[in-house]
Each structure stands twice: as structure tokens, then as C-alpha cells.
């Protein structure tokens, strides 16, 4: 079936449809992901767009630029390579009311919240509109996503991501509310109440998300809502507990991700510091049937895991202070001494922490020059410089690494991406075994990562590493064998699992939303 955009500027452009929410975490990005997959399934060239994203969870585009993770994943749901046009402005909070502002995939400036609002935002309209218009020129529909709530009356006049943007793009808006947290009618009616009349008329439908219960009990409320507002409810989406779609924001770690699974053979602890980056790196581990993953931010909760992982962090020295203030460094030391089987792993910022020293003479990470001693598990040091490496990589395991990590002599393929300002080198006179022989998408080849000779401690810059199926299983099986357990030998394909999750999500959303009406709202007509 062929759909055609019949809107005002239909000659040169694709359709636009915008999803906004009554609050953060109501499920906007998952609904955008679902719509992206549905439109793609229906044969439309589809792209996601979020003008400005605030997140520490990043995605590296095939051309080596950084955008918000959610837009990268949504591009995958659309079946297209991600570009920075899909998220031209990324705000990465570094703490102290400051953020690194990433524009079209490259660090632009470190700005305070006030200076971002007063100096950056007034100039940002052409930047975001050019990006959107490029996407429209090459696609049949752009699924746009708002941020937070469009009714933050104190912020509205400088808005570039909610109703102002909808106005510039003449985009119809669907407003999503989360019924699970309660107050759904007040959220919807209250949001409309706080919009200006010309903003209000942009709202063409509601979606009630995360519903658990009996629809017949909700129906009178929905009828009332439609009557009161004159805006249709496009559907009620039942709560989906096993989404298996990467979450956008680490607030989800407060809920389902931190739930403790028990009775699994391998217990993995991920240290959760305040500026954890790319926490979705560990989703594939959590999906292994013999693994439980726990996020821990207190020394007392460490227990005696089989593997401790220090994940990536936006601010390595700051989060290292956090870890020390909470005694987590000492607790890790004690756990490591309690058994010779436990492994300690660092990813990116976590790898940097495992070393002996961290130098930030220019204040790249937090705006102030800093120096710190590392945890001292690996004889490597890190220096932060203004150049930021953002690149996809692929490679194989190095031949000479400690045999405890993999079957000796076997080269196992790995892939992932790097996002860091720090550069890590071996300390003078020391020796480490490298983990991987990698090739960056930029062409450079290098030996990456470092392992202690007994293989119990290792660190790498590679995010997304655990989605390398054969490597993930070989490593976990090595840990199993060190515990006297049989290797499983079998695993799943993380890539196929992701595809299946997109399709399952799309099916769920199709079943419960009035898609015909949504096509109409987007001015898409069958030809
Ligand atoms: N992604 C990360 O963990 C980044 C680590 C560190 N903040 C750096 O920029 O080098």
C-alpha cells in the first residue's frame, strides 16, 4: 500500500507526527519506537526526530557521531542508519547544574543551565529546523518526540522541543499519559489547560499508556474525557512488562531493571553511580538464562557476586569519589579477597577507574582541573583531553590474553563503540595483556583493553561489547567453568532478539491503537 502526505507543504516534504507526554517517563520514546516500526512495516520511509535530548545514554552513528541512545534505537526500528539530524542537540549533564552540549554529534560547549537557556536556546531554531527539514526531504514520515511535559510554563518561551517545535513544523500532536502512576485525567486535562489556544488545537489525540486493569471500568472516564476536551482517545495500551526495548533514561533502574532475580548460576553486580552512562550495555547479560544482574549503589548490597562490573560514567573522577564516599571501593576489595574466582570488569569510565591514576588537567570532565588516584587494579593511567573519541569498532580477541577469559588460541569476534575523552595507557615499566585487536570505523587499528595476567580483572573502552554473542557466551562460560559448572555453549543473537522485540512491540501497539485515525491525523492518505 502506498501512503501519500496531503499536508500543507506536501510537495517537498514528508509527513510529521509528534508524540508529547504529560510528564517524563510516560513512555513517549517507546511509543515513538513502536510507531517507527509500524510505519516501516507499512512501507513508509520513516525516521525518528527529537530536537533536544537530555541523556547520558549515547549511541554512535555509523559515521562516528554521538546522539541520544533512543533516537539510534528508533532509527534501527525504522531499518535505517542513524544520523545526527535525528537528534541534533544532546545535553549530557555533568552535575553542578552544568552540561556538555553535543551539537550534531560533537561536543560544542560546557554550559550552565542558565547560560544554555539564555544564550544557546534563542539561536537554536534554525539548527533544529534544518535537521528536521533534511529528514522530511528524504522520508515519507517523521515521528517526532517531545521532552518532558509541554506545560512547563516557566520554560515554554524558550522551548525548542515541545509545542514551539510543533508550531514551527506544523505538526499534529498526540499526547501520552501514564495511567500506572495515577491521576491520568488530571494530567491530560491539566496539560491542555496550561497550553495556549493555538497549542491546544495541535493536540489531535490522546494515548493512555501502561494500563493494567479492566477496560470496562476505565471506559466511562474515557467517554468523559472525549466529551470534555473534544479530543479522541486513540487507544489504551496495556502495560508491557517484558518490553526488551532499551530504555532511554536510567530512571528505569529505579524500577524493573534493579529487580533482583535469584536462583541463577551467575550473579553479576553492576555498580550504579550517579552519572552512569550507557547502562543498557548490560541488557544482553540480563537476558542470559543463567545470569542475574543487580544494580548496586551501596556497599552493603554487594553480596558475593561472581562478576562485579564498573560501568561507563560521564564523570569518572566524580563517580569515583561517590564510590569511595560510600565505601564501595573497600567492599569490592574485600569481596575480591574472599574468593579467587570473582571477576572485576570495567567498561569505559569503569576501566579508567580500575587504573592507577586519572589526570584531568584541563577540567574536561567537570569544568575544573582534577587529579585522582585510581582503584589500582590495573597498571594503567588515564589522561583526559579535549578531543572526544566517538567511533564504532569491530575486531577479535587478542591471542595472548589470559586463558581464563576465553578458550586459548581462539579468536572470537567482538564489536561495539567508543565514546570517551580519556586516553588510557600502560604505566611505565608495567605490562598488561590486551583484550582485543580492533579496527575503528575511521580505519585505525589498535590493541584495546587491558587484563591482569590472572584474567580476574579487565577493562575495555568498548560499549555494547556484551551484544557480541559468541564473546559474551565464551566469557560467561569461562566464569562458569571456574566455578566448576558446565559451560552452556549456547546463546541467543542479540541483534535478532532486538528485531523480534521491535516487531512484538509494534504488534502490541497496532492491536490497541486506532492506526487508521493516526494515519488521518498525520495527513497520510492511501493512494
Ligand atoms: N562513556 C564513558 O564511560 C566515558 C568515560 C569518561 N567520562 C571519558 O569521557 O573518557
Amino acid at each position: 500500500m502506498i501512503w501519500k502526505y496531503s499536508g500543507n507543504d506536501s510537495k517537498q516534504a514528508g509527513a510529521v507526527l509528534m508524540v508529547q507526554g504529560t510528564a517524563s517517563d510516560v513512555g513517549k520514546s517507546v511509543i515513538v519506537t513502536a510507531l517507527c516500526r509500524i510505519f516501516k512495516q507499512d512501507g513508509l520511509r520513516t525516521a525518528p526526530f527529537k530536537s533536544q535530548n537530555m541523556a547520558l545514554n549515547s549511541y554512535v552513528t555509523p559515521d562516528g557521531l554521538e546522539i541520544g541512545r533512543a533516537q539510534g534505537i528508533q532509527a534501527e526500528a525504522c531499518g535505517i542508519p542513524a544520523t545526527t539530524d535525528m537528534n541534533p542537540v544532546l545535553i549530557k549533564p555533568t552535575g553542578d547544574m552544568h552540561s556538555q552540549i553535543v551539537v550534531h554529534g560533537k561536543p560544542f560547549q560546557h554550559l550552565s543551565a542558565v547560560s544554555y537557556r539564555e544564550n544557546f536556546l534563542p539561536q537554536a531554531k534554525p539548527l533544529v529546523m534544518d535537521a528536521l527539514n533534511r529528514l522530511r526531504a528524504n522520508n515519507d514520515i517523521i515521528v517526532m518526540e517531545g521532552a518532558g511535559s509541554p506545560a512547563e510554563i516557566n520554560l515554554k518561551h524558550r522551548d525548542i522541543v515541545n509545542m514551539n517545535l510543533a508550531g514551527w513544523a506544523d505538526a499534529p500532536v498526540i499526547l501520552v499519559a501514564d495511567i500506572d502512576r495515577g491521576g491520568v485525567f488530571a494530567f491530560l486535562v491539566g496539560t491542555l489547560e496550561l497550553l495556549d489556544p493555538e497549542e491546544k488545537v495541535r493536540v489531535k489525540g490522546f494515548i493512555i499508556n501502561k494500563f493494567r486493569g479492566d477496560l470496562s471500568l476505565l471506559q466511562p472516564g474515557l467517554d468523559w474525557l472525549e466529551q470534555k476536551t473534544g479530543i479522541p482517545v486513540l487507544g489504551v495500551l496495556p502495560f508491557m512488562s517484558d518490553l526488551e526495548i532499551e530504555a532511554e533514561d536510567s530512571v528505569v533502574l529505579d524500577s524493573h531493571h534493579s529487580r533482583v532475580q535469584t536462583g541463577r548460576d551467575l550473579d553479576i553486580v553492576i555498580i550504579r553511580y550517579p552519572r552512569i552512562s550507557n547502562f543498557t550495555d548490560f541488557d544482553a547479560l540480563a537476558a542470559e538464562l543463567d545470569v542475574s544482574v543487580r544494580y548496586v549503589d551501596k556497599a552493603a548490597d554487594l553480596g558475593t557476586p561472581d562478576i562485579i562490573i564498573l560501568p561507563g560514567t560521564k564523570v569518572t573522577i566524580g563517580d569515583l569519589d561517590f564510590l569511595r564516599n560510600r565505601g564501595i571501593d573497600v567492599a569490592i576489595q574485600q569481596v575480591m579477597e574472599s574468593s579467587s574466582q570473582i571477576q572485576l570488569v570495567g567498561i569505559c569510565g569503569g576501566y579508567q577507574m580500575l587504573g592507577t591514576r586519572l589526570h584531568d588537567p584541563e577540567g574536561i570532565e567537570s569544568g575544573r582541573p582534577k587529579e585522582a588516584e585510581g582503584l589500582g587494579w590495573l597498571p594503567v593511567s588515564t589522561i583526559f583531553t579535549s578531543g572526544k573519541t566517538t567511533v564504532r569498532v569491530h575486531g577479535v580477541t587478542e591471542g595472548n590474553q589470559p586463558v581464563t577469559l576465553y578458550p586459548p588460541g581462539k579468536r572470537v569476534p567482538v564489536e561495539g563503540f567508543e565514546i570517551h575523552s580519556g586516553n588510557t595507557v600502560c604505566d611505565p615499566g608495567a605490562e598488561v595483556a590486551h583484550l582485543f585487536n580492533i579496527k575503528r570505523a575511521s580505519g585505525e587499528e589498535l590493541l584495546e583493553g587491558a587484563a591482569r595476567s590472572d584474567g580476574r580483572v579487565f577493562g575495555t573502552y568498548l560499549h555494547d561489547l556484551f551484544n557480541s554473542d559468541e564473546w559474551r557466551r565464551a566469557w560467561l562460560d569461562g566464569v562458569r567453568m571456574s566455578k566448576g559448572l558446565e559451560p552452556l555453549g549456547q546463546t541467543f543473537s542479540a541483534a535478532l532478539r532486538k528485531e523480534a522485540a521491535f516487531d512484538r512491540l509494534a504488534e502490541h501497539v497496532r492491536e490497541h491503537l486506532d492506526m487508521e485515525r493516526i494515519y488521518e491525523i498525520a495527513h497520510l492518505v492511501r493512494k
Side-chain angles (χ1 to χ4, degrees), residues 97-133:
M97 309 278 289
H98 280 74
S99 292
Q100 179 184 57
I101 313 299
V102 175
V103 175
H104 275 297
K106 291 275 177 210
F108 170 64
Q109 271 177 335
H110 242 101
L111 292 178
S112 69
V114 171
S115 147
Y116 179 74
R117 288 192 54 69
E118 283 176 5
N119 303 319
F120 183 86
L121 285 182
Q123 326 249 359
K125 179 179 172 185
L127 174 79
V128 302
M129 286 309 289
D130 286 353
L132 176 64
N133 288 334

Side-chain angles (χ1 to χ4, degrees), residues 296-448:
V296 163
D297 62 4
K298 290 184 205 69
D301 294 342
L302 203 58
T304 43
D306 300 295
I307 300 165
I308 302 170
I309 302 182
L310 299 175
T313 154
K314 178 77 190 114
V315 186
T316 307
I317 297 180
D319 277 352
L320 186 56
D321 286 344
F322 165 88
L323 206 132
R324 287 197 164 111
N325 289 338
R326 294 203 163 196
I328 296 174
D329 56 333
V330 177
I332 291 175
Q333 177 95 36
Q334 285 164 350
V335 170
M336 290 296 281
E337 281 165 9
S338 72
S339 152
S340 60
Q341 313 299 340
I342 300 170
Q343 289 197 11
L344 178 60
V345 179
I347 304 292
C348 200
Y351 169 33
Q352 297 167 343
M353 287 184 188
L354 289 178
T356 52
R357 282 210 73 76
L358 299 134
H359 311 270
D360 187 4
E362 294 168 53
I364 299 297
E365 288 234 282
S366 58
R368 270 166 305 213
K370 281 203 171 160
E371 227 4 69
E373 223 172 280
L375 298 172
W377 290 96
L378 291 171
V380 296
S381 299
T382 298
I383 178 152
F384 298 92
T385 54
S386 57
K388 187 171 182 182
T389 304
T390 52
V391 69
R392 289 191 182 191
V393 308
H394 66 93
V396 291
T397 51
E398 243 302 280
N400 71 349
Q401 62 187 280
V403 289
T404 43
L405 287 182
Y406 314 96
K410 194 162 177 221
R411 297 210 176 230
V412 181
V414 290
E415 26 180 16
F417 60 88
E418 297 177 52
I419 303 186
H420 53 98
S421 308
N423 282 306
T424 301
V425 291
C426 190
D427 290 339
E431 258 184 58
V432 286
H434 292 291
L435 291 173
F436 309 122
N437 205 320
I438 60 162
K439 186 165 184 179
R440 290 178 168 161
S442 49
E444 208 179 331
E445 289 188 40
L446 61 145
L447 292 174
E448 205 283 326

